[in-house]
Amino acid sequence: MTDPTHVIHSQQLTKTFGKVRALDGLDLAVRPGEVHGFLGPNGAGKSTTIRILLGLIRATGGRVELFGADPWRDAASLHGRLAYVAGDVALWPGLTGGQCLDVIGATHGRVDERRRADLIERFELDPTKRIRDYSKGNRQKVALIAALAAGADLLILDEPTSGLDPLMEQAFQNCVRERRDAGVTVLLSSHLLDEVEALADRVSIIRRGRTVTTGTLADLRRNSRTSVHAVTTEEPGSLAHAAGVADYVSERLDGHVDIRFTIDAHHLDAMIGTLHAARIHTLTVAPPSLDALFLRSYGDAPEARATAATFAENTR
Amino acid sequence: MSADHPAAGPHTQGLDTMIGIVWRTRRRGILIGVLALGGSLIGTAAAVAGLYDTPSKIHTYAAAVTAGSALAAINGHVEGIDSLGGVIQDEFGFLASFLLPLLGIALVAGSTRREEESGRLETILGGRITRHQPVLAALLVAAAAILGMSVLFAAGLVVCGVPVSGAILYSAALGALAFVFAGLAALLAQLVPHTRGVYTGSLTVLAAAYVLRGVGDTTKSGLALLSPLGWAEKAAPFGDQRWWLLTIPVVAGLAAGAGAVRLAGRRDLGSAVLRGRAGPECASRFRRGPIGFAAWLHLPATAGWLAGAVLLTAMMGALSRQLLDALAGNPALTNAMGVAGDRPLDGFVAATQLYLAVIAAGFLVQAIGTLRAEEAGGRLASRLSGTLSRSRWLFAHGTVILGGLALIVAGSSLVLALSTAWSVGDTGEFGAIVSAGLDYLPAELVLAGVALALFGLWPRGLGFAWAAFAAVAFIALLGPGLNLARWVLDLSPITYVGGPPRGAVDAGSLAALAITAVALVMLGFLGFRRRDLSES
Ligand SMILES: Nc1ncnc2c1ncn2[C@@H]1O[C@H](COP(=O)(O)OP(=O)(O)OP(=O)(O)O)[C@@H](O)[C@H]1O
Ligand SMILES: [Mg+2]
């Protein structure tokens, strides 16, 4: 059964290594032409998922499709359409960077030689050096250039910029955008929130081998709690128990009322009305920072689960 | 605790810590190496003692061995061979020449350059360890392990009935031999940037030492005294007992070790005195393909095994004239060596081909080990993330390894045939010598099959392929001399070849070996296609 609406589609994917349950019902859907951020704390199962997608390991259970085909059975033919950068770049120490590019390129089939040369220049790589003599960042660049130069429809990048300096990180982001504009789909696993925010159209957050949340960053934001700090002249009567409000703290200071609370975005409007009635002196409304948002999804707090649950409902 | 004892200083304390680290991270390998080597040496000594249990038997052995200098080239010229200790020393001559230096090299290389290359040393040096301490600790642990092995071996020899002083001197000489190479490896670890270079360098020195000792012993010149192998031999534990000669290897080992420690203290971490240069910007068309790439990967090791095999066969061939002369004047020897009257060289060629078969089997296991190293290093995942399928990858490597095997076996057999013809001045044996080499191919491939089946089904157990190789080598090299039981000999595929050209080759046995090999290889292929890649 083929699924043309998704480049990557997994449902209830599981993978066990002996007693370790690395994936425990993971759902992932990546649409054509999007940059999909793939996030999760250490050991969440990102690399495991990616290795299943590449047919390097075999799923224990569940369904997974890559371009509508089985990534284990059709590994070699599917790989003609994708390029991969591993989290731990492993190359042959005795080869030069240029030789490595050619060797990897040869297994990808279509390599754009002009783009290869252009990328070498943009990433400032010396292709005549041996891999063993490169710094960590430069080894990473070799793997990146090899993937970006390939004529692939899908890029699978597992923490591709670990070790790159900020300038190179910028170059990487530009390159990914160019590839996306050329119609390439990208699965980007990363711990760098700035990078994800700059590049990703949609994100999936996983924890302990399970998908916690999936959607656009705007969706994520909208479904998270906004923190409010207000100073009013009077005590706003019903606010503490109003719908959507939590963590409510108020105290009297110099004849004013100092109030702090969090609120979910759907109830903002009503809250502002209530505050207004209490005569606003100062008001700060902070949307959730991306960090806070991820910390909540990564962590074990019950609130995170609640957020995730409402979120999942809304996106279904 | 450290703050309470400033007097201890970071110096000795760091060294203690470092020794602890080396021991904790490597103790399994060290214990296995020491026990396996000590145990097999003692086991062999016991078997020799059981076999040569009367003076007259020992005398016959001594007469047979001393008559031909060809054997002196391989096993060395043993002084006092007319004694139990002498027979043991002679039986060990070949194996000990390689195993003990290898023990020393492996003990040191694994805890110096390998740690530095992997970046683990950097983590350690971030702590309270000074730069020279890791190599010093590695040497100390290696010296202790070697000492332990020597003591174990000496005790074993005494139990077997060897006189105490001879047993101690012999074990000490072997220990000193291992120590020289440990020192050499420590020094090389400072000079070259990669572990592989440490092994290549030390093994090259070892090969040179072996040739020097061989030439020295056959020509009876002083050349052997230039070789670390000669130092051990000329200590003559069962002859004149030159204890003072042990000072040479001890001083040489200490000097090399001291040089290594000094260099380590002065150079930058991760640096090496000898460095690689820049290389080509593009890979050739050939190397981009799966076969070409596999060929590139296996080339250095294949060249090494080929060099060793050619060295051995050339030397043996060149010495065949001397053996014939010795046989001509000594009918008793002819009988002792089991040489048929009309083709006196056959036994000699058969023995050489057996050594060659062991070398070829070692090459195969090592080459398949490379595949596992590619996988464990994560490079196989890089390789398979393109359109290259698993089957094609493995097939390409299989083809290249087979090519390497053909090159080593056919090449060295040709060298043996040519050098023998040149030495004897007669090409009559040419065909028989070459075909004897080829007869061993199916047996060698069985071992490759075992390694490949493990790779496909249980990659973490690939070490067992080395264990199988060790057993095969042991049975091939010492089995006949030790009169091992039939069923033990039958464990080794090489036994079924029949020992050509002296023994008759049974086509049926070769076919059975070939079928076994093919079945094992297929098992490996199927297993590899179905399993997860595993990097741990
Ligand atoms: N071959 C293996 N054998 C046993 N356990 C494994 C194996 N591979 C992965 N695991 C386990 O599976 C879990 C998921 O690991 P994975 O590498 O996918 O995490 P990750 O999300 O990529 O983490 P990170 O952000 O640190 O890269 C971990 O608990 C890990 O220990
Ligand atoms: Mg990972």
Side-chain angles (χ1 to χ4, degrees):
Chain A
M1 58 147 285
T2 55
D3 174 4
T5 56
H6 290 114
V7 174
I8 297 170
H9 199 186
S10 88
Q11 284 175 317
Q12 289 303 307
L13 194 61
T14 58
K15 175 72 192 175
T16 52
F17 297 102
K19 282 190 188 137
V20 183
R21 212 169 168 76
L23 296 185
D24 187 17
L26 183 116
D27 300 324
L28 178 66
V30 177
R31 300 171 188 158
E34 76 177 2
V35 176
H36 195 102
F38 194 34
L39 301 147
N42 294 129
K46 302 181 293 295
S47 300
T48 304
T49 310
I50 287 177
R51 290 166 70 80
I52 290 176
L53 290 174
L54 285 161
L56 297 173
I57 59 178
R58 192 178 204 163
T60 311
R63 281 225 326 255
V64 57
E65 283 181 356
L66 192 67
F67 294 113
D70 177 350
W72 173 264
R73 215 189 41 231
D74 303 321
S77 63
L78 285 174
H79 291 179
R81 302 181 63 183
L82 65 82
Y84 164 57
V85 176
D88 244 331
V89 171
L91 299 166
W92 297 268
L95 289 182
T96 65
Q99 286 176 315
C100 259
L101 287 178
D102 289 342
V103 166
I104 299 174
T107 72
H108 283 316
R110 295 166 293 155
V111 175
D112 185 331
E113 290 298 330
R114 273 238 309 281
R115 197 158 65 226
R116 174 189 191 269
D118 176 52
L119 286 164
I120 286 179
E121 202 155 302
R122 281 164 78 177
F123 281 103
E124 297 170 14
L125 182 82
D126 174 2
T128 64
K129 258 197 184 174
R130 306 235 175 243
I131 296 294
R132 61 167 67 112
D133 297 332
Y134 275 135
S135 65
K136 175 176 160 44
N138 278 324
R139 274 196 289 266
Q140 193 75 29
K141 285 185 205 166
V142 173
L144 274 177
I145 294 174
L148 290 167
D153 301 328
L154 169 66
L155 289 175
I156 297 185
L157 311 174
D158 192 355
E159 292 180 47
T161 56
S162 57
L164 290 196
D165 66 44
L167 236 67
M168 290 304 130
E169 166 77 40
Q170 207 53 53
F172 164 77
Q173 292 187 7
N174 291 337
C175 290
V176 170
R177 269 188 218 107
E178 282 165 28
R179 300 306 299 139
R180 196 233 354 239
D181 294 345
V184 174
T185 310
V186 182
L187 179 66
L188 172 68
S189 144
S190 175
H191 287 300
L192 300 179
L193 304 179
D194 300 355
E195 180 177 281
V196 174
E197 186 164 37
L199 291 175
D201 302 310
R202 296 198 314 137
V203 300
S204 290
I205 301 181
I206 68 168
R207 190 160 54 80
R208 298 206 187 143
R210 222 176 266 184
T211 311
V212 178
T213 245
T214 233
T216 64
L217 283 175
D219 284 342
L220 272 183
R221 282 228 167 84
R222 202 169 324 121
N223 284 281
S224 298
R225 307 191 66 81
T226 300
S227 32
V228 179
H229 179 201
V231 180
T232 54
T233 315
E234 293 157 20
E235 182 87 39
S238 57
L239 202 53
H241 305 289
V245 172
D247 311 324
Y248 187 90
V249 184
S250 87
E251 57 187 327
R252 252 175 204 288
L253 275 178
D254 309 332
H256 291 302
V257 189
D258 188 294
I259 313 161
R260 287 165 196 273
F261 58 93
T262 65
I263 182 163
D264 76 46
H266 305 290
H267 297 93
L268 262 180
D269 194 45
M271 177 273 291
I272 294 289
T274 317
L275 280 181
H276 188 249
R279 313 242 329 264
I280 297 173
H281 192 71
T282 65
L283 176 63
T284 328
V285 179
S289 77
L290 209 53
D291 293 22
L293 206 146
F294 284 120
L295 285 178
R296 223 172 306 153
S297 303
Y298 280 20
D300 246 340
E303 187 217 358
R305 288 203 210 114
T307 311
T310 52
F311 184 73
E313 255 160 47
N314 291 338
T315 48
R316 255 196 203 130
Chain B
M1 187 193 82
S2 51
D4 301 337
H5 300 285
H11 239 75
T12 54
Q13 195 179 35
L15 188 58
D16 289 350
T17 314
M18 197 58 226
I19 289 174
I21 292 174
V22 173
W23 172 243
R24 244 171 293 146
T25 52
R26 310 247 310 142
R27 69 182 154 206
R28 226 181 83 176
I30 292 175
L31 283 179
I32 290 177
V34 165
L35 290 180
L37 188 57
S40 54
L41 289 181
I42 292 171
T44 313
V48 170
L51 200 57
Y52 299 94
D53 50 358
T54 65
S56 77
K57 285 186 191 164
I58 290 179
H59 190 70
T60 315
Y61 179 95
V65 168
T66 44
S69 53
L71 291 172
I74 290 187
N75 289 333
H77 174 71
V78 177
E79 295 173 49
I81 193 166
D82 211 344
S83 67
L84 176 59
V87 176
I88 292 175
Q89 188 187 349
D90 192 66
E91 279 289 306
F92 279 158
F94 179 78
L95 275 180
S97 301
F98 292 96
L99 291 182
L100 286 148
L102 267 176
L103 175 74
I105 296 166
L107 281 173
V108 169
S111 40
T112 52
R113 184 50 80 168
R114 198 189 58 169
E115 295 298 292
E116 183 167 349
E117 206 180 344
S118 71
R120 288 188 286 267
L121 194 57
E122 185 159 336
T123 312
I124 287 170
L125 287 180
R128 307 171 39 130
I129 308 281
T130 32
R131 277 190 312 278
H132 72 274
Q133 282 170 339
V135 62
L136 184 57
L139 276 168
L140 289 174
V141 171
I146 290 169
L147 190 68
M149 203 274 311
S150 300
V151 170
L152 186 69
F153 184 44
L157 282 177
V158 171
V159 170
C160 292
V162 175
V164 175
S165 68
I168 293 180
L169 180 52
Y170 184 41
S171 331
L174 290 185
L177 172 62
F179 181 66
V180 173
F181 279 89
L184 175 71
L187 192 58
L188 281 172
Q190 313 308 313
L191 299 180
V192 299
H194 304 286
T195 319
R196 192 156 97 174
V198 177
Y199 276 97
T200 313
S202 333
L203 291 179
T204 308
V205 172
L206 178 57
Y210 188 72
V211 170
L212 261 183
R213 208 264 309 119
V215 173
D217 277 344
T218 43
T219 58
K220 306 244 156 47
S221 63
L223 232 45
L225 275 180
L226 295 178
S227 158
L229 296 170
W231 301 334
E233 179 186 300
K234 296 288 175 255
F238 307 107
D240 288 347
Q241 300 207 332
R242 302 180 197 100
W243 289 87
W244 60 268
L245 239 152
L246 288 188
T247 52
I248 304 182
V250 170
V251 168
L254 284 177
V261 171
R262 202 175 150 79
L263 272 177
R266 298 170 148 224
R267 70 185 175 85
D268 296 345
L269 183 71
S271 73
V273 177
L274 315 168
R275 267 231 159 263
R277 289 165 292 118
E281 192 171 328
C282 289
S284 62
R285 279 231 158 266
F286 178 63
R287 192 179 292 182
R288 292 182 199 191
I291 296 263
F293 188 77
W296 169 77
L297 199 64
H298 291 288
L299 185 67
T302 310
W305 289 98
L306 181 65
V310 165
L311 203 72
L312 178 79
T313 47
M315 189 171 83
M316 295 300 280
L319 290 168
S320 50
R321 169 90 262 157
Q322 295 190 344
L323 183 81
L324 277 190
D325 291 348
L327 289 177
N330 190 344
L333 173 62
T334 317
N335 288 336
M337 293 190 67
V339 178
D342 51 336
R343 303 180 66 170
L345 272 179
D346 279 0
F348 175 65
V349 171
T352 310
Q353 285 292 10
L354 200 60
Y355 282 100
L356 187 59
V358 170
I359 291 180
F363 159 73
L364 289 171
V365 174
Q366 178 271 326
I368 291 165
T370 306
L371 304 187
R372 172 65 188 145
E374 284 290 287
E375 179 182 3
R379 295 180 294 271
L380 176 56
S382 303
R383 204 71 191 117
L384 295 183
S385 67
T387 49
L388 188 61
S389 72
R390 290 179 181 215
S391 310
R392 274 182 61 215
W393 176 82
L394 192 54
F395 184 77
H397 278 276
T399 310
V400 166
I401 293 173
L402 268 184
L405 177 70
L407 188 70
I408 289 172
V409 170
S412 325
S413 296
L414 269 180
V415 168
L416 181 63
L418 284 171
S419 57
T420 307
W422 168 77
S423 168
V424 182
D426 171 14
T427 54
E429 296 279 331
F430 198 95
I433 295 177
V434 174
S435 80
L438 302 182
D439 286 337
Y440 278 101
L441 284 174
E444 290 152 9
L445 286 173
V446 168
L447 217 57
V450 169
L452 204 62
L454 280 167
F455 176 69
L457 299 172
W458 185 35
R460 277 168 226 189
L462 204 62
F464 282 92
W466 280 111
F469 167 73
V472 164
F474 183 82
I475 292 173
L477 302 185
L478 296 175
L482 296 182
N483 268 3
L484 291 182
R486 188 72 233 167
W487 68 267
V488 178
L489 295 179
D490 283 348
L491 288 177
S492 164
I494 286 183
T495 306
Y496 297 92
V497 179
R502 187 174 71 191
V505 174
D506 169 29
S509 303
L510 292 195
L513 286 172
I515 291 170
T516 312
V518 168
L520 285 168
V521 166
M522 300 231 316
L523 207 62
F525 259 85
L526 290 179
F528 178 63
R529 280 187 42 175
R530 303 176 60 85
R531 74 171 169 85
D532 287 353
L533 244 53
S534 108
E535 294 180 0
S536 49

